[in-house]
Amino acid sequence: MNNYETVFILNPVLSEDQIEEAVNKYEKLITKLKAKIIAKENWGLKKFAYPIQNKKSGFYHLIEYQGDVSVSKNLEMDFRRDERVMRYLTVKLDKHALNWSEKRRKKLKIKSKV
């Protein structure tokens, strides 16, 4: 089992319900493929450094999960087919990235409690 982190950008013209539906779709796909979701984050609407598909911003989401290579391949194939997804990036995490990710999650928990 490998650890992966996927960041994807959704179209900014989507409503809150459509965004939630899209994110839930990918979470269900990951669990359906027998992978374990470790963390998920909604980074919200962010501006791009350059226009993508004539848009200047997008809704960013991060999902960290543990599973086989087939999970990331199927997820990326689904991203390519979905018009709501503007960009995506999947990264396989090594032990150093896992430690950094865990520290970042702990820091975010502390900030959210304050």
Side-chain angles (χ1 to χ4, degrees), residues 11-61:
N11 200 317
V13 299
L14 299 174
S15 69
E16 289 292 323
D17 293 336
Q18 291 171 323
I19 292 168
E20 189 175 326
E21 176 191 332
V23 173
N24 287 337
K25 173 187 171 185
Y26 295 117
E27 289 173 5
K28 286 178 185 174
L29 178 65
I30 291 169
T31 54
K32 179 183 165 189
L33 295 170
K34 297 182 175 59
K36 178 184 171 189
I37 294 178
I38 298 169
K40 52 188 176 182
E41 295 176 20
N42 176 3
W43 293 349
L45 184 68
K46 296 201 179 276
K47 285 185 129 185
F48 298 146
Y50 55 88
I52 300 173
Q53 298 175 0
N54 295 323
K55 307 280 189 296
K56 294 183 180 182
S57 61
F59 290 101
Y60 283 70
H61 288 274

Side-chain angles (χ1 to χ4, degrees), residues 61-108:
H61 288 274
L62 174 133
I63 301 176
E64 187 178 331
Y65 57 93
Q66 187 176 40
D68 292 333
V69 176
S70 63
V71 177
S72 65
K73 298 241 186 245
N74 286 325
L75 187 63
E76 288 184 354
M77 183 172 51
D78 221 37
F79 283 148
R80 277 187 232 114
R81 291 179 178 162
D82 195 343
E83 293 177 357
R84 299 174 291 189
V85 177
M86 298 172 69
R87 290 280 197 275
Y88 61 88
L89 178 67
T90 300
V91 178
K92 181 179 173 185
L93 302 175
D94 63 359
K95 65 180 181 180
H96 303 295
L98 283 172
N99 290 337
W100 182 84
S101 180
E102 191 174 320
K103 286 179 187 176
R104 186 175 53 85
R105 282 195 307 270
K106 285 180 183 178
K107 199 181 281 188
L108 286 173

